[in-house]
């Protein structure tokens, strides 16, 4: 699976934090050459109150527990990983990998923000 550079990952996180989640998912989907999953507020049977979000492969949808989750980069990127994994083959048994995928984006964002803050201090 191809990888994004740190600055692009940071921009994806910033888009989600700026409440532009759909735009972030569109960008990622173009990069991976897959359909963009729909993201909706809602729950599915058997998952109510047990998870913040869930990706349903058959529907190509990310269900978020509430609108706050829409803007949580870790949760959204975790579920997006399930979407791309389902397109590239294996979907099952990938929770650890979904966490690692999301954390890479968060780490890139934190690194870029830290560098920007250091540059401001020098000015």
């Amino acid at each position: 699976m191809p990888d994004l550079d740190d600055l692009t990952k940071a921009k994806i996180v910033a888009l989600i934090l700026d409440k532009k989640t759909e735009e972030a998912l569109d960008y990622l989907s173009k990069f991976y050459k897959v359909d963009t999953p729909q993201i909706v507020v809602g729950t599915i049977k058997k998952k109510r109150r047990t998870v913040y979000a869930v990706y349903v492969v058959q529907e190509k949808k990310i269900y978020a527990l509430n609108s706050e989750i829409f803007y949580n980069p870790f949760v959204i990127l975790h579920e997006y990983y399930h979407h791309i994994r389902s397109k590239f083959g294996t979907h099952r048994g990938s929770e650890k990998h979904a966490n690692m995928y999301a954390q890479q984006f968060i780490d890139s964002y934190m690194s870029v923000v830290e560098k920007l803050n250091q540059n401001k201090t020098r000015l």
Side-chain angles (χ1 to χ4, degrees), residues 6-7 10 103-119:
D6 284 342
L7 185 57
Q103 191 62 52
Q104 289 175 357
F105 281 79
I106 303 302
D107 292 346
S108 294
Y109 177 80
M110 297 303 290
S111 175
V112 168
V113 167
E114 183 179 327
K115 287 176 187 172
L116 289 172
N117 285 337
Q118 286 174 354
N119 288 338

Side-chain angles (χ1 to χ4, degrees), residues 22-120:
E22 289 90 350
E23 189 177 329
L25 296 180
D26 283 341
Y27 184 93
L28 287 171
S29 295
K30 285 177 185 161
F31 177 78
Y32 291 113
K33 297 178 175 79
V34 298
D35 294 333
T36 303
Q38 187 178 4
I39 182 166
V40 297
V41 173
T43 58
I44 60 171
K45 288 182 181 180
K46 298 181 185 177
K47 297 287 184 179
R48 292 187 176 118
R49 295 186 184 240
T50 60
V51 295
Y52 291 116
V54 65
Y55 176 69
V56 178
V57 176
Q58 299 83 352
E59 298 178 23
K60 298 179 190 170
K61 281 186 185 177
I62 296 171
Y63 285 89
L65 181 62
N66 57 47
S67 58
E68 287 180 34
I69 300 303
F70 249 59
Y71 315 117
N72 181 318
F74 186 87
V75 174
I76 296 303
L77 291 164
H78 173 103
E79 296 307 328
Y80 185 79
Y81 179 82
H82 292 306
H83 173 67
I84 57 175
R85 280 290 295 238
S86 73
K87 301 300 175 195
F88 292 125
T90 308
H91 177 65
R92 299 175 65 86
S94 57
E95 288 303 306
K96 177 180 157 186
H97 296 290
N99 285 340
M100 289 175 14
Y101 178 82
Q103 191 62 52
Q104 289 175 357
F105 281 79
I106 303 302
D107 292 346
S108 294
Y109 177 80
M110 297 303 290
S111 175
V112 168
V113 167
E114 183 179 327
K115 287 176 187 172
L116 289 172
N117 285 337
Q118 286 174 354
N119 288 338
K120 281 183 185 178

